[in-house]
Amino acid sequence: MKKKLLATAVLVSGIGLLVAAPSAFAYRGDPNVQGPNYSPERHEAMMNAFETKDYNAWKNLMQGRGRVTQVVNEQNFSSFAEMHKLRLEGKFDEANKIRQDLGLGVHSGAGQMQGKGYGRMGR
């Protein structure tokens, strides 16, 4: 009886994690999904930075968040802004080409925290 109860609890927990995980990480790499730092004001400022290709405004909004701030700089920001525009237009192949050219790779969720004991192969 205890084994059945434990197996059911594990199954329900696993299903709950599978349902919650995609929504928790969906915003990464998809400009159409709101992330945890979303606010209408920040979104408007970010869109303006991309439209005007204002690297300094983008940099201030990002405040060192994520790997992208280590790769994108003043010289390549116009390409990054173009990639953002293409993704909004649904031109994912073209956007992914720019993403790869910038050294950001194509986000699939694989390889995050690789080599640090995390992820699928880190067990």
Side-chain angles (χ1 to χ4, degrees):
M1 183 65 167
K2 284 185 180 182
K3 286 183 181 180
K4 272 189 173 180
L5 184 59
L6 182 60
T8 303
V10 169
L11 181 63
V12 169
S13 297
I15 291 171
L17 288 173
L18 288 174
V19 170
S23 63
F25 297 107
Y27 72 93
R28 295 176 186 242
D30 187 347
N32 296 310
V33 177
Q34 295 176 359
N37 299 312
Y38 178 84
S39 75
E41 297 81 20
R42 185 174 187 277
H43 176 76
E44 186 65 34
M46 189 67 75
M47 294 303 287
N48 187 52
F50 282 124
E51 287 172 18
T52 61
K53 295 185 170 57
D54 186 348
Y55 170 74
N56 290 320
W58 175 82
K59 183 180 171 185
N60 289 334
L61 288 164
M62 291 300 290
Q63 299 174 357
R65 292 184 183 121
R67 181 173 180 271
V68 69
T69 60
Q70 297 168 1
V71 174
V72 176
N73 56 44
E74 198 163 4
Q75 288 74 37
N76 63 16
F77 183 73
S78 62
S79 293
F80 184 69
E82 179 64 19
M83 179 196 74
H84 183 266
K85 179 180 171 245
L86 289 168
R87 288 190 64 81
L88 288 174
E89 294 172 353
K91 298 176 180 175
F92 298 107
D93 291 337
E94 295 95 329
N96 286 338
K97 171 76 171 98
I98 294 172
R99 187 179 180 105
Q100 237 171 356
D101 290 347
L102 289 172
L104 294 170
V106 178
H107 180 74
S108 66
Q112 292 182 23
M113 302 299 283
Q114 194 170 30
K116 296 184 177 147
Y118 298 98
R120 296 181 194 119
M121 302 306 218
R123 295 184 177 107

